[in-house]
Amino acid sequence: MIINLDMQSELPIYSQLVYQIIEGVASGELQLGEALPSVRNLAADIGVNLHTVNKAYTLLKQDGYIQIHRQKGVVVNPDGMPPVTDDFLNKQRQELRPIIAEALCRGMSKEELSTVLSDIYEEIKHPY
């Protein structure tokens, strides 16, 4: 999997890393049980501080996307992804709210916004 980080983005690097790993799982580019690089190796490969990668891995572990084993290292959760919960839905609503508000301010219709969401869904679900 290729990690693309925007060092000029307002979005923190650890968040970009979290989102890209989740997208890799969602698209099938990363398989359940697949090994990920160690914190130190990934930090060196992408040229960031190891604490940045450690924070991303910690968040991914808390949300159930990865497991960290002393012997096996970091792996995509082999037991599958966490289920949709009320907390997850609330988080999604909270994160989408400002995006939808901005779209409304710029004059996007519900249909245009739905098309954008549908297009992104299809890009991630079927990236190739």
Side-chain angles (χ1 to χ4, degrees):
M1 178 176 154
I2 298 173
I3 303 283
N4 293 310
L5 299 175
D6 180 356
M7 301 301 187
Q8 306 306 314
S9 174
E10 292 181 16
L11 189 63
I13 295 169
Y14 73 88
S15 294
Q16 293 180 51
L17 189 53
V18 166
Y19 294 149
Q20 288 193 29
I21 290 172
I22 291 171
E23 186 172 328
V25 174
S27 69
E29 196 171 349
L30 291 173
Q31 299 295 313
L32 300 181
E34 184 174 337
L36 296 175
S38 69
V39 169
R40 190 174 310 277
N41 287 345
L42 184 55
D45 289 347
I46 60 178
V48 300
N49 188 293
L50 64 94
H51 296 294
T52 300
V53 175
N54 190 49
K55 185 169 186 173
Y57 276 4
T58 298
L59 292 171
L60 288 163
K61 181 181 177 190
Q62 286 174 351
D63 288 342
Y65 291 101
I66 64 171
Q67 293 180 351
I68 301 174
H69 300 281
R70 288 183 189 222
Q71 290 88 14
K72 296 179 188 176
V74 181
V75 296
V76 176
N77 190 343
D79 301 327
M81 293 298 103
V84 174
T85 62
D86 287 340
D87 286 343
F88 173 78
L89 291 174
N90 289 334
K91 178 184 174 202
Q92 295 304 300
R93 290 176 62 86
Q94 186 177 15
E95 291 178 2
L96 286 170
R97 196 170 190 87
I99 294 168
I100 293 169
E102 185 176 5
L104 286 168
C105 286
R106 294 174 179 259
M108 281 184 83
S109 68
K110 183 178 180 179
E111 292 74 24
E112 290 171 319
L113 188 57
S114 292
T115 298
V116 170
L117 288 171
S118 182
D119 290 348
I120 293 170
Y121 180 92
E122 290 302 321
E123 287 171 13
I124 293 172
K125 187 174 178 189
H126 304 290
Y128 306 107

